[in-house]
Amino acid sequence: MEPLWAIANANFGKIVFGYFALWISGLIGIIAGSRHLKNHIQQHMQAELKFQTLYESSIDAVMLLDEKGFFDCNNATVRIFRCKDKAEFCSKHPADISPATQPCGTDSRTLANERIATAMEKGSCHFEWVHQTVDGIEFPADVLLSAMELNGKKVLQATVRDVSEHKQAEE
């Protein structure tokens, strides 16, 4: 055993130095990785804040809907449709924010379903529409439906611009 102990004692410094170097390398890797992750998280949070600010500061109503109906909207939507909050708006069916028929005489629900199908098929659909507030006041609107995928599910983003003032200026 003595020859083995002699070899072990002779190489002890090298072994300790090797493990220490490996430990330091791992520590440097962890620090560098955590800094990279921290920067990535900060960039992601800044991008999310930017898009949330754009979404909430828009003067146009922006709402998201799926096959069940509305599931999110911005503050302009609440204001334009005269709801008390987002929850009230999201509890509405799209037919609830339109009169029974459009100026062309077509049933709003039927025409809306056609426009939704077009947007889902082609990616978007832009049209004029008559909407109404929750208290029944009708207003002309410019509508853009944009199909997108969100969390692996196809949804529509509807952007509604009240064009009442523009229509009055034309007249």
Side-chain angles (χ1 to χ4, degrees):
M1 270 309 262
E2 239 176 82
L4 292 176
W5 280 112
I7 293 171
N9 286 335
N11 292 324
F12 182 74
K14 292 178 187 176
I15 293 170
V16 169
F17 179 75
Y19 280 119
F20 181 73
L22 186 61
W23 182 79
I24 291 293
S25 297
L27 188 60
I28 290 171
I30 290 170
I31 291 170
S34 67
R35 285 186 180 162
H36 176 73
L37 183 60
K38 182 180 176 184
N39 288 338
H40 183 73
I41 290 170
Q42 284 177 335
Q43 288 173 349
H44 179 74
M45 289 175 64
Q46 287 172 345
E48 187 175 329
L49 179 62
K50 178 174 77 173
F51 288 112
Q52 187 67 29
T53 301
L54 288 170
Y55 181 70
E56 289 300 339
S57 66
S58 174
I59 61 169
D60 295 332
V62 180
M63 57 214 81
L64 297 172
L65 63 152
D66 58 17
E67 70 281 348
K68 296 174 191 166
F70 299 112
F71 63 90
D72 194 16
C73 67
N74 66 354
N75 291 328
T77 304
V78 173
R79 180 181 45 75
I80 289 170
F81 289 97
R82 297 184 180 191
C83 297
K84 65 180 178 202
D85 55 24
K86 289 181 181 186
E88 180 187 10
F89 180 82
C90 289
S91 71
K92 302 291 180 197
H93 185 276
D96 296 337
I97 59 169
S98 298
T101 59
Q102 289 298 304
C104 64
T106 306
D107 176 67
S108 289
R109 184 180 297 265
T110 302
L111 197 53
N113 287 336
E114 289 174 12
R115 302 288 165 83
I116 288 169
T118 299
M120 288 300 220
E121 180 185 321
K122 295 184 178 180
S124 68
C125 185
H126 184 237
F127 54 94
E128 288 190 7
W129 193 259
V130 175
H131 272 296
Q132 70 181 15
T133 62
V134 292
D135 51 357
I137 299 169
E138 294 183 6
F139 64 92
D142 183 65
V143 178
L144 174 63
L145 299 178
S146 302
M148 62 184 67
E149 194 170 302
L150 193 62
N151 298 326
K153 188 167 120 179
K154 252 197 153 176
V155 299
L156 279 178
Q157 174 184 294
T159 305
V160 174
R161 177 173 287 168
D162 182 344
V163 293
S164 300
E165 291 178 12
H166 180 71
K167 292 286 185 183
Q168 288 172 352
E170 281 181 355
E171 292 172 5

